[in-house]
Amino acid sequence: MIYILLISVAGMLLLQASGMIPQSSVGGPMLIALGVFLGAAAVAIDEAWKRRRGALGWALNVIVCFVAAFLAAPVAGFVMVMILSPFANGSSLASAGGPVFAISLTGTLIVTLLAGWGALKILGRWR
């Protein structure tokens, strides 16, 4: 899990540092969402692989992890905005850019992936 988290954060920060996340369109949030959901898929697949789940278990892992990520990402984003808005110069964290936006991306990604991992742990207790 820790490797998935580190690789996901490094990938997201690399996208942000290279300027590949557009600031003026819908493409930026869509690219961020794609990164978050790819990380959630990696968490689900890793857990299914390690626990030697069957085909139904793999599908259930992906569904549960995606639902948890879908529910946790807006909450994590809202918390990051509340925490980091005093440090933003513009109207949003994305327009502020730089370290404020990088911290926001990292925090949102970490909370979202941990929520997916926690949902899989809860699901594992019910199996």
Side-chain angles (χ1 to χ4, degrees):
M1 173 63 189
I2 191 72
Y3 294 118
I4 294 170
L5 194 62
L6 290 175
I7 291 169
S8 298
V9 167
M12 191 68 73
L13 290 177
L14 183 66
L15 285 174
Q16 192 263 338
S18 66
M20 293 183 70
I21 299 177
Q23 302 294 323
S24 62
S25 68
V26 178
M30 293 298 287
L31 185 62
I32 294 168
L34 177 66
V36 168
F37 281 112
L38 284 176
V43 168
I45 291 169
D46 179 61
E47 199 273 341
W49 181 271
K50 286 181 180 175
R51 303 279 187 238
R52 300 189 188 276
R53 306 278 186 216
L56 185 61
W58 279 64
L60 189 61
N61 271 13
V62 170
I63 291 169
V64 166
C65 198
F66 276 4
V67 168
F70 186 75
L71 294 174
V75 173
F78 179 72
V79 169
M80 287 296 132
V81 167
M82 290 290 115
I83 292 171
L84 296 173
S85 61
F87 304 108
N89 295 334
S91 61
S92 70
L93 296 178
S95 66
V100 175
F101 188 48
I103 292 169
S104 173
L105 283 175
T106 302
T108 302
L109 185 62
I110 289 171
V111 169
T112 303
L113 293 183
L114 288 177
W117 180 70
L120 290 176
K121 288 296 179 187
I122 292 170
L123 180 68
R125 291 187 182 265
W126 288 349
R127 290 183 181 174

